[in-house]
Amino acid sequence: MGTTYIPVKTILEELDIDVVLPPMSSKKTLELGIKCSPEAICVPFKIIMGNILEGIENGADTVFMLTGCGPCRFGIFHALQNEIIRDMNLKIEFITADRFSNLAGLKEFSARLKEASPKNNYLKIFNTIRKGLKILDAVDELQELTNKIRPIEINTGEVDYLDTNFSHEIRKVHGYDEAMNLIIDYKEKVSSVKIDKTKQLLKIGIVGEIYTILEPFINLNIEKKLGVLGIDVARSISASEYVREQLDFLPFVHSGKKTIYQAAKPYLEIPIGGHAINTIGNSMLYKKQNFDGIIHLLPFTCMPEIVAQCILPTIEKEQDIPIMTLVLDEMTGEAGYMTRLEAFVDLLVKRKDLKNEGNSLSWN
Amino acid sequence: MTIKVGIPRALLFYEYAPLWISFFNDVGAEVIVSDKSNKRILNNGTIYTVEDACIPVKLYNGHVLYLKDKVDYLFIPRIMGVYEKEYICPKFCGLPEVVKYSIKDLPKLINTKIDLTKSSNMKDAILNMGSYITTDKKRIISAYEKALIKYNEHKSSMKNTYINEQNEQIMIMGHPYILYDEYLNMNVIKKLKSYGYSCITPDNLDDDLVNEYANSYPGKIFWLFFRKMLGSCLYLIENNFFDGVIYISSFGCGIDSVVAETIERRLRRETNIPFMLMTIDEHSGEAGFNTRLEAFIDMLEWRKINENNISTHGNNLYSRENNIRGVRY
Ligand code: SF4
Ligand code: SF4
């Protein structure tokens, strides 16, 4: 899922577990996944299925997977995936970490890790998890920075070049120290890209289902595309925020959960599963922060986000902020997608111009 | 004047009808249930609901539209879960929102939150439900107790009916609001009867048995519905009671896609019970549905005739390719 593999890889490497990274999600991954998944299931399932198969091709014998036991499908993904793999006469072991939303969950996670690497003791495992979390934060910071710089770089393409290089190199490094150094190194590189500070930018917030937001292969690189169109993109969910939300029960971890739930209240009072409430809450927050528009991403047949989709038109009207919903599945074509993005951006530009005119008129 | 409470005949109505109706009647309301589903109700619902929603939710909105000007209150509960640690589809949790933001000018909603996943706050929920109609707490509680008895009677009257059945039997699986809504399932039960087959549903199996079998499944089960279907399926595998399984799923239903697939794989791997998946959506045509049903029956008949010729290794006879999957009718 996007860049979340980086910290997980680091954790496992630190524990001397052999890591086989499936290749980056690609068309081939998706095709593999589609072939053996039920037709009507959401794209995340299909991609993960493909990832697993590619991992097996590369010699993996154990799959490490985060599973959530929320009311949505992530919870039983692996059960069905296991069945499918059994039917294909392949052998593989699943290690699943249920969401760490309580102490017991955390303990189980450590126990699972210990299973895979019997020589390590718990203290080491615990420390390693902490290291993993640090990497997670660092990676997210780097990404945020990349997104900030992209629309205002002077030489177009410079940031993307660094971005691509980074994802190649991070796959090659081993262990915590190497990974951390690489991330810091790239942070500096990105910061030193020449930028045009005076450029006026439109601001768009991205809300929706977590997997679709985090996996550039599914959302067809929406952040990059918008960045190139000169948009300052903020995405509501990052992997580190997600993990923080889960660890919220620990006194030293703080997440934006409360604020988000509070903001969602006028439209949706309680969490209903998945990330629907985050979608609503973040939309309201973006409105408050004077964003120019919101894009709502969801995979086809995603249950919680469909509830959100029912609510958003009312928010769009009552809060007066343009919202575009994009439903993604494996059939989503590059061309049509781009057209819709461009049209949306055009609309936002016009709106902003109108507003500015209105303002300057009233000054007279 | 008595207060009129409207209950849409859709979704979990098919599970809880006796309970809800009896309860609201006994606290002193007049209960109005929407008509049986029909084309108009579905069409209206489809117009008012976001395109990507599943057909049962669209139909639900259709029933809401039917009731909206006829009642003082609409009963649209927010059901979070009915057993500890087991969840149901997020759309049930957000049902009041789905309705509220799809349809304007609604009567007042009774949108009590019913959450039994965390110990028992049932009593609060009941009092809240009744408080819209009367302030008499005793009356509310006794109405609930009576309603619960009715509901349990209804449930147990459905159990184990299949044991003494003489006909050949087919199990149909799916969400209750599809299995028991004749319009949605295109009258499948009657049609099968006309071919001389009786239908049973997972509701006819004994709950304890189903749970026992479901518990033997490795891995946690998070959905109530999944547990019920899986338990029934594993029971089937061991007891070979039935001649075939038809799973009726809703297009765009996330839960069905996982459940149907798991069950199909299990059945095919471990038995030679024929399995057919029928997917319905708002463009479903009855003709196509009938054709597939007939083909399925033909196959069963053919099997009966050739039964003696099938070796014990006949597992592969119905390979996946033999059934056209994913075709929508
Ligand atoms: S939240 Fe949506 S995308 Fe995620 S598992 Fe559930 S249905 Fe699939
Ligand atoms: S369980 Fe499936 S059919 Fe039922 S409301 Fe949810 S998505 Fe729709």
Side-chain angles (χ1 to χ4, degrees):
Chain A
M1 161 152 87
T3 50
T4 20
Y5 70 88
I6 298 173
V8 173
K9 167 174 173 279
T10 314
I11 292 181
L12 298 180
E13 277 170 357
E14 285 280 311
L15 296 174
D16 281 332
I17 300 171
D18 247 345
V19 183
V20 179
L21 274 183
M24 299 277 263
S25 300
S26 66
K27 224 169 151 196
K28 183 172 158 249
T29 319
L30 185 58
E31 272 163 17
L32 263 177
I34 291 174
K35 227 187 275 161
C36 50
S37 308
E39 188 187 304
I41 207 159
C42 51
V43 206
F45 182 98
K46 293 178 182 162
I47 298 249
I48 294 176
M49 194 66 224
N51 286 149
I52 295 176
L53 292 176
E54 284 187 328
I56 296 179
E57 260 173 34
N58 289 355
D61 57 12
T62 308
V63 174
F64 177 87
M65 210 166 122
L66 290 171
T67 54
C69 57
C72 203
R73 256 180 287 181
F74 264 111
I76 59 162
F77 266 14
H78 67 280
L80 178 54
Q81 272 154 350
N82 217 345
E83 299 264 328
I84 295 177
I85 286 169
R86 231 173 102 184
D87 276 348
M88 296 173 76
N89 284 325
L90 292 170
K91 249 198 87 151
I92 199 143
E93 200 62 44
F94 275 83
I95 295 190
T96 53
D98 286 332
R99 281 209 307 206
F100 328 120
S101 47
N102 53 39
L103 269 181
L106 260 189
K107 262 198 201 133
E108 196 188 317
F109 179 61
S110 328
R112 289 297 175 104
L113 282 179
K114 198 161 157 54
E115 234 172 70
S117 63
K119 8 182 223 318
N120 293 304
N121 61 27
Y122 275 111
L123 191 67
K124 170 132 196 234
I125 290 180
F126 194 70
N127 275 332
T128 317
I129 295 180
R130 287 185 68 150
K131 279 186 182 170
L133 291 177
K134 272 195 205 144
I135 295 267
L136 182 68
D137 283 340
V139 172
D140 273 344
E141 276 165 30
L142 175 62
Q143 278 208 322
E144 229 167 80
L145 188 71
T146 310
N147 282 339
K148 275 267 164 299
I149 304 284
R150 187 182 289 119
I152 46 176
E153 64 185 0
I154 292 180
N155 302 320
T156 330
E158 215 170 320
V159 171
D160 280 344
Y161 175 73
L162 290 174
D163 194 29
T164 321
N165 277 355
F166 173 74
S167 35
H168 282 303
E169 280 178 42
I170 192 77
R171 299 175 76 84
K172 288 188 212 128
V173 300
H174 191 95
Y176 174 79
D177 292 333
E178 282 182 40
M180 204 45 152
N181 285 337
L182 188 75
I183 297 171
I184 294 175
D185 191 29
Y186 267 89
K187 251 192 220 164
E188 271 163 24
K189 280 189 190 154
V190 174
S191 316
S192 55
V193 166
K194 276 203 215 100
I195 50 167
D196 173 4
K197 281 200 186 120
T198 56
K199 207 164 165 187
Q200 283 278 328
L201 293 179
L202 283 171
K203 278 204 285 190
I204 293 186
I206 298 182
V207 298
E209 191 274 331
I210 178 164
Y211 198 94
T212 344
I213 296 185
L214 294 187
E215 176 59 64
F217 178 68
I218 296 190
N219 64 37
L220 304 175
N221 262 316
I222 190 163
E223 287 169 35
K224 252 188 215 174
K225 286 203 168 90
L226 289 172
V228 173
L229 290 173
I231 306 283
D232 183 2
V233 191
R235 63 170 186 207
S236 56
I237 297 177
S238 63
S240 54
E241 172 65 18
Y242 178 66
V243 172
R244 265 198 299 276
E245 254 177 37
Q246 300 309 320
L247 294 173
D248 214 342
F249 66 95
L250 295 171
F252 52 86
V253 182
H254 294 286
S255 76
K257 194 154 117 186
K258 267 218 184 95
T259 341
I260 294 172
Y261 284 17
Q262 197 59 36
K265 221 165 198 164
Y267 293 96
L268 184 63
E269 277 164 37
I270 47 166
I272 57 152
H275 278 87
I277 192 160
N278 300 60
T279 300
I280 302 299
N282 282 315
S283 303
M284 295 293 283
L285 290 177
Y286 285 143
K287 168 67 195 173
K288 271 203 199 109
Q289 295 157 21
N290 269 322
F291 274 59
D292 297 288
I294 294 170
I295 294 180
H296 177 215
L297 294 179
L298 70 154
F300 184 58
T301 77
C302 174
M303 298 170 287
E305 293 302 328
I306 285 178
V307 176
Q309 201 192 344
C310 293
I311 305 176
L312 285 177
T314 311
I315 295 188
E316 178 170 28
K317 233 181 276 152
E318 292 181 2
Q319 304 292 328
D320 187 32
I321 179 164
I323 302 177
M324 175 167 74
T325 295
L326 289 171
V327 180
L328 294 159
D329 66 9
E330 59 265 29
M331 257 86 89
T332 311
E334 188 87 19
Y337 189 73
M338 199 61 203
T339 321
R340 291 200 59 190
L341 285 184
E342 279 168 4
F344 188 63
V345 171
D346 275 351
L347 173 102
L348 296 187
V349 172
K350 281 201 194 105
R351 249 176 80 98
K352 190 151 198 174
D353 287 350
L354 262 179
K355 250 200 206 144
N356 286 345
E357 263 171 40
N359 281 346
S360 47
L361 276 183
S362 59
W363 285 338
N364 287 331
Chain B
M1 221 184 71
T2 37
I3 298 172
K4 286 189 198 138
V5 174
I7 308 183
R9 189 190 294 272
L11 294 181
L12 290 182
F13 173 84
Y14 286 97
E15 183 72 25
Y16 294 111
L19 187 104
W20 292 346
I21 295 176
S22 153
F23 174 77
F24 281 113
N25 271 331
D26 278 345
V27 289
E30 182 190 341
V31 176
I32 300 183
V33 179
S34 52
D35 260 1
K36 286 194 178 161
S37 304
N38 56 41
K39 199 164 177 179
R40 246 198 53 213
I41 292 182
L42 178 59
N43 282 349
N44 286 343
T46 308
I47 296 169
Y48 277 87
T49 320
V50 289
E51 198 187 320
D52 301 297
C54 57
I55 187 172
V57 163
K58 290 178 181 167
L59 190 64
Y60 192 87
N61 270 341
H63 283 277
V64 169
L65 284 162
Y66 173 95
L67 286 171
K68 137 180 139 74
D69 301 319
K70 300 184 176 66
V71 296
D72 306 309
Y73 285 98
L74 266 174
F75 179 55
I76 302 181
R78 182 195 298 288
I79 301 179
M80 305 296 289
V82 268
Y83 286 107
E84 236 174 282
K85 301 232 170 73
E86 274 184 2
Y87 300 92
I88 52 180
C89 173
K91 287 180 196 168
F92 293 124
C93 317
L95 195 57
E97 278 76 25
V98 170
V99 173
K100 215 160 53 184
Y101 295 111
S102 304
I103 301 169
K104 288 208 188 73
D105 305 321
L106 288 172
K108 276 179 238 146
L109 301 188
I110 302 181
N111 55 1
T112 307
K113 176 168 143 195
I114 302 179
D115 183 359
L116 306 183
T117 53
K118 293 175 206 115
S119 61
S120 70
N121 31 24
M122 191 61 202
K123 195 174 163 203
D124 293 341
I126 295 305
L127 288 176
N128 177 292
M129 254 162 80
S131 67
Y132 290 86
I133 315 296
T134 168
T135 48
D136 183 351
K137 283 194 181 163
K138 264 207 201 113
R139 185 167 179 191
I140 298 177
I141 297 289
S142 89
Y144 174 66
E145 279 163 0
K146 244 165 86 192
L148 199 60
I149 294 173
K150 280 222 177 111
Y151 170 71
N152 287 334
E153 273 171 14
H154 166 76
K155 281 266 132 183
S156 50
S157 75
M158 291 172 77
K159 297 294 172 212
N160 296 328
T161 45
Y162 61 96
I163 291 177
N164 299 319
E165 181 63 55
Q166 300 301 321
N167 281 339
E168 316 253 350
Q169 303 188 68
I170 292 179
M171 171 168 271
I172 48 174
M173 289 190 178
H175 293 286
Y177 40 86
I178 294 181
L179 296 190
Y180 306 121
D181 186 325
E182 288 161 4
Y183 179 73
L184 264 191
N185 67 34
M186 311 204 201
N187 247 320
V188 68
I189 298 185
K190 265 205 204 118
K191 280 178 190 157
L192 286 172
K193 268 222 175 89
S194 72
Y195 290 113
Y197 287 86
S198 296
C199 285
I200 64 148
T201 66
D203 288 307
N204 299 128
L205 302 183
D206 191 76
D207 285 340
D208 292 338
L209 265 182
V210 169
N211 284 335
E212 192 187 311
Y213 277 95
N215 286 340
S216 69
Y217 185 77
K220 282 192 208 160
I221 299 176
F222 299 108
W223 296 326
L224 171 65
F225 174 70
F226 189 39
R227 160 185 292 275
K228 206 158 133 190
M229 297 300 130
L230 191 69
S232 314
C233 166
L234 297 177
Y235 174 80
L236 272 180
I237 289 175
E238 222 158 275
N239 296 296
N240 233 322
F241 245 122
F242 312 109
D243 299 296
V245 175
I246 299 179
Y247 192 113
I248 309 182
S249 77
S250 150
F251 181 69
C253 170
I255 295 188
D256 271 340
S257 61
V258 173
V259 177
E261 181 82 9
T262 311
I263 286 179
E264 176 172 6
R265 284 180 182 271
R266 279 277 160 153
L267 281 177
R268 286 189 199 282
R269 191 161 61 218
E270 283 160 36
T271 72
N272 52 16
I273 302 174
F275 175 94
M276 178 168 70
L277 177 67
M278 298 253 211
T279 307
I280 49 166
D281 70 5
E282 57 269 40
H283 313 296
S284 298
E286 189 146 4
F289 186 88
N290 291 347
T291 317
R292 287 199 67 206
L293 202 61
E294 269 162 37
F296 189 68
I297 299 289
D298 283 348
M299 200 239 306
L300 293 184
E301 299 288 326
W302 180 87
R303 251 170 75 98
K304 245 190 287 172
I305 299 167
N306 293 277
E307 195 118 79
N308 303 332
N309 307 330
I310 299 175
S311 73
T312 41
H313 305 295
N315 273 0
N316 301 328
L317 200 56
Y318 303 99
S319 66
R320 288 173 71 83
E321 285 73 28
N322 279 354
N323 272 306
I324 313 153
R325 297 180 59 246
V327 180
R328 281 191 266 146
Y329 286 112

